[in-house]
């Protein structure tokens, strides 16, 4: 298939539709990456442009005092009869663009591409990163590949990830830790239960502990983070007439970014200290990802907040902003679309949010917000 | 395949081997039923013999004051390279017959068939029932079919089931009740746990109750029954980042035969009364089978105990004796073989136990035990 042509100077709403109309399910992003690369090469003048796998990177060298990174993934979850895009107008929702990727996150990509092509001058240097494989296992994530192979591209004063936030700045993100707690016992026929040791019965105390747990709320840079400690799975049992010799509870701890993953694990171990100390349970970490501090005290980030009329809130879910935070770069999420509509057959974005995010970022990147 | 010939007058050890060498996995019992039927017709004189599906029934009408039912299933669990049978002699175990069904329960069948063919006179009338499909779902059980279609064959003063008991009378059996307890909640993303209601967390109190539960021991007719209340399964969870909206615990209550299934359920509901009363859990019965009182006070049963030198104990597991008990017939399990070796690849019986059970039953059926 020939490379589709994207008009970066068109309204970002139209550009969103054009991007949605290029299918780009994870691991199948070459066509959209070709289109983005070709458009950037043809329609911008002073960008250094690099292609790395199915990542497309572009940056200016304008000698500005600060550098802003705009990053967005190009892939989507599988299409379910929701491509190509279509526009509807209803009294209830107004003008809405429907289709896979309208929310997550081709509308954010469209805003970034449009601004790169239309802002001849900016108060900061720009780095754009469009990457692949965000919607699948972390090992395939294109931003991770950039971090490994082209680390100098991840240098900047603030990073903006175009993930859906309904047009409101969401700062930092919480970390996530998964721990599998296992109780062991001895199998026996349930008709002779006393000959066994029931592993499932050993879960009572820990589940009661979880039920009684009071999660912490903490304010960081004016963002309120809300932690959560939750059983996300419980499994045990061999057959209807067998005393189970093993039972497991998978616990997910979502922790505020003032804790490191190590501190988060220490906290979880402390919560279940009684069960761990007497050997009722053993614990094994199955997944861990650091959170990201909001970093809004940083001047470059503070200006972005000003451009958004001072509105911001904490991001609860984990996103790729954590990668930037780990590199010491303040990072926020800002993009059109309601995140709860992502990954849904009826994924759709009110087009007004695309315009709104474009205006916020245009003001920010041109310094217009200082005059507001 | 032509019908294999069984020599019922041969030593029950040889007869066990011959039965094991006729494969008879559940639902494939026609060949062994043909062989048993043909042997009974050819090698007994005064038995009324009926074939019903793959059940073979035989009974005397000798005008005796009592009638003893000898019942055994002809089917086995699937063969795992453990047929035909083979005999080994080792210093450790002595003479041992190996093979699928040696324990469960062709050795018991062999004893019954041998006695039917070799005891010209008995102090009681005899009813023999060889049935199919015991090892699979209850709906297929051949004894159930006899109960439905030929109820007059289940008339007697005592029933002996040839299930493996290592040659010791095991009286009655415990009942079994399965109840599924379900906790409901509200699904949410685990990054925003406070928006959901975690069903798994609601299991803590009930599992702690189970862990603290003190099962009852009760003496009935000199048999000590030991109850057990056990979680046999616990399940809940949607994904690693989702607050589960449902969680279940399957509880198995093995109850002494002085409780009816209804009384057993009332007890279980009482144990979890707090969780049921406040709606934390709902309960649904998934399986229920009455136990069987040992009935050893019955004269015909007492004579059997005397023939076994007064040795007997309670049966914990549920067996088909409960069907007889429900009909008001005292019933016991008595057969060669260690039940813990049933259903195993290395299933095997010490041949001495086959001889021992044959002697006990010969003494009982001929009245020889009265002279002991």
């Amino acid at each position: 298939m020939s490379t589709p042509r994207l008009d970066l100077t068109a309204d970002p709403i139209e550009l969103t539709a054009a991007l949605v109309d290029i299918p780009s399910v994870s691991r199948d992003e070459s066509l959209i990456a070709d289109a983005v690369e070709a458009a950037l090469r043809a329609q911008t003048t002073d960008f250094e442009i690099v292609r790395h796998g199915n990542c497309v990177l572009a940056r200016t060298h304008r000698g500005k005092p600060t550098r802003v990174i705009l990053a967005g993934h190009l892939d989507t979850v599988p299409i379910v009869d929701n491509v190509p895009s279509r526009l509807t107008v209803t009294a209830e929702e107004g003008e809405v663009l429907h289709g896979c990727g309208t929310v997550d996150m081709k509308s954010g990509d469209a805003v970034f591409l449009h601004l790169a092509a239309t802002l001849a001058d900016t108060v900061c240097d720009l780095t754009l990163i469009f990457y692949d494989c965000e919607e699948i296992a972390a090992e395939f994530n294109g931003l991770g590949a950039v971090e490994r192979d082209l680390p100098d591209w991840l240098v900047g004063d603030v990073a903006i990830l175009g993930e859906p936030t309904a047009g409101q700045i969401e700062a930092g993100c919480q970390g996530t830790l998964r721990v599998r707690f296992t109780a062991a016992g001895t199998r026996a026929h349930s008709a002779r239960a006393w000959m066994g040791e029931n592993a499932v019965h050993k879960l009572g105390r820990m589940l009661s502990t979880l039920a009684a747990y009071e999660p912490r709320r903490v304010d960081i840079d004016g963002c309120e983070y809300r932690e959560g400690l939750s059983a996300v799975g419980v499994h045990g049992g061999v057959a209807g007439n067998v005393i189970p010799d093993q039972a497991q509870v998978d616990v997910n701890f979502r922790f505020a970014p003032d804790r490191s993953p190590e501190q988060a694990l220490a906290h979880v171990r402390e919560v279940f200290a009684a069960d761990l100390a007497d050997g009722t349970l053993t614990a094994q970490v199955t997944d861990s990802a650091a959170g990201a501090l909001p970093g809004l005290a940083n001047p470059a980030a503070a200006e972005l907040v000003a451009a958004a009329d001072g509105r911001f809130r904490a991001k609860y879910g984990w996103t790729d902003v954590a990668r930037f935070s780990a590199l010491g770069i303040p990072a926020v999420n800002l993009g059109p679309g309601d995140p709860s509509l992502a990954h849904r057959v009826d994924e759709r974005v009110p087009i007004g949010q695309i315009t709104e995010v474009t205006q916020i970022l245009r003001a920010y990147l041109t310094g217009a917000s200082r005059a507001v």
Side-chain angles (χ1 to χ4, degrees), chain A residues 9 20 36 53 72 85 88 119 185 204 219 268-269 290 308 312 372:
Chain A
T9 62
V20 169
V36 167
S85 61
T88 60
L119 296 182
D219 186 291
V268 170
R269 293 190 64 92
F312 64 93
V372 172

Side-chain angles (χ1 to χ4, degrees), chain A residues 6 8 31 51 130 182 215 257 297 317 322 342 355-356 369:
Chain A
L6 298 170
L8 304 187
L31 190 65
R51 174 73 176 260
F130 299 99
T182 301
T355 303
E356 185 189 359
S369 58

Side-chain angles (χ1 to χ4, degrees), chain A residues 143-229:
Chain A
L143 194 56
V146 170
E147 189 177 351
R148 278 192 306 276
D149 304 336
L150 304 170
D152 67 295
W153 281 79
L154 298 189
V155 172
D157 297 281
V158 68
I160 301 170
L161 216 69
E163 292 276 2
T165 64
Q168 185 162 347
I169 292 171
E170 293 191 342
C173 75
Q174 298 203 123
T176 180
L177 171 72
R178 284 189 187 81
V179 182
R180 172 163 289 185
F181 288 91
T182 301
T186 309
R187 209 177 275 204
H189 196 291
S190 65
R192 292 173 290 277
W194 63 91
M195 298 183 71
E197 189 185 357
N198 198 312
V200 174
H201 294 187
K202 297 184 180 183
L203 303 181
R205 184 166 54 176
M206 83 154 304
L207 293 180
S208 295
T209 299
L210 276 171
Y213 181 81
E214 293 277 357
R216 188 175 65 120
R217 295 183 183 203
V218 58
D219 186 291
I220 304 173
D221 286 357
C223 295
E224 186 192 51
Y225 290 93
R226 295 184 67 165
E227 296 186 330
L229 185 65

Side-chain angles (χ1 to χ4, degrees), chain A residues 80-100:
Chain A
V80 188
D81 203 22
N82 52 1
V83 165
S85 61
R86 62 191 174 83
L87 191 73
T88 60
V89 185
T90 61
E92 202 175 27
E93 295 197 303
E95 289 183 286
V96 171
L97 186 66
H98 302 253
C100 182

Side-chain angles (χ1 to χ4, degrees), chain A residues 237-305:
Chain A
V238 178
N241 59 357
V242 176
I243 303 301
D245 56 349
Q246 199 176 75
Q248 295 172 330
V249 179
D250 288 315
V251 170
N252 186 203
F253 184 36
R254 298 288 180 141
F255 54 95
D258 62 340
R259 299 195 206 252
S260 68
E262 295 70 29
Q263 290 168 329
L265 177 59
H267 176 69
V268 170
R269 293 190 64 92
E270 191 186 314
V271 170
F272 301 108
D275 279 311
L276 293 170
D278 67 10
T280 302
L281 299 175
T282 56
Q284 187 189 3
V285 174
T286 54
D287 185 28
S288 174
L293 285 163
L296 296 181
N298 175 290
E303 282 172 26
L304 176 60
V305 172

Side-chain angles (χ1 to χ4, degrees), chain A residues 291-364:
Chain A
L293 285 163
L296 296 181
N298 175 290
E303 282 172 26
L304 176 60
V305 172
D309 294 336
R311 291 180 298 127
F312 64 93
R313 61 187 175 207
K315 181 77 175 174
Y316 297 121
W318 190 92
T319 76
D320 272 321
V321 297
R323 295 181 190 273
F324 293 103
S325 182
L327 296 169
I329 305 171
V332 302
N333 300 278
L334 173 61
D338 177 347
S340 70
L341 289 173
H343 301 193
R344 285 173 51 150
V345 175
D346 59 347
E347 184 173 346
R348 62 194 187 279
V349 63
I351 63 170
Q353 289 186 10
I354 301 176
T355 303
E356 185 189 359
V357 172
T358 306
Q359 287 169 345
I360 292 171
L361 286 177
R362 183 184 290 122
Y364 174 56

